[in-house]
Amino acid sequence: MREFMTLIGQIFLISLVQTILEVFLKSDNRDYQIRIINIACIMGSLYLVLQFVFTYILKELTTMIRLPF
């Protein structure tokens, strides 16, 4: 459960940084940079979620389910 709360905290921090950067760049009307920041934040969050799944979830599933191969 501690690892899940850490994951949620990291994703929240990424979304907070994204929102702050969008506010600063919105005043100058820089749509291209905002798009790049949005994509980078989504990719960062996706990386964290995939790392969590492969590290903790799949490890727990393999201990519960014994596959014949």
Side-chain angles (χ1 to χ4, degrees):
M1 188 66 170
R2 174 184 285 166
E3 293 85 8
F4 180 72
M5 294 305 289
T6 304
L7 173 69
I8 296 300
Q10 290 171 339
I11 291 175
F12 176 74
L13 185 65
I14 287 175
S15 66
L16 185 66
V17 169
Q18 177 184 5
T19 304
I20 291 170
L21 288 175
E22 280 183 3
V23 168
F24 284 132
L25 292 176
K26 194 70 118 179
S27 62
D28 295 337
N29 206 6
R30 299 179 181 168
D31 294 331
Y32 184 69
Q33 290 178 345
I34 291 174
R35 248 186 240 153
I36 291 173
I37 289 171
N38 287 340
I39 291 171
C41 290
I42 290 170
M43 294 299 289
S45 297
L46 180 65
Y47 172 75
L48 289 174
V49 169
L50 287 176
Q51 182 182 14
F52 177 79
V53 166
F54 283 117
T55 304
Y56 299 108
I57 304 293
L58 288 180
K59 184 178 178 182
E60 291 296 321
L61 284 175
T62 56
T63 58
M64 288 188 292
I65 303 170
R66 301 283 180 194
L67 297 175
F69 52 112

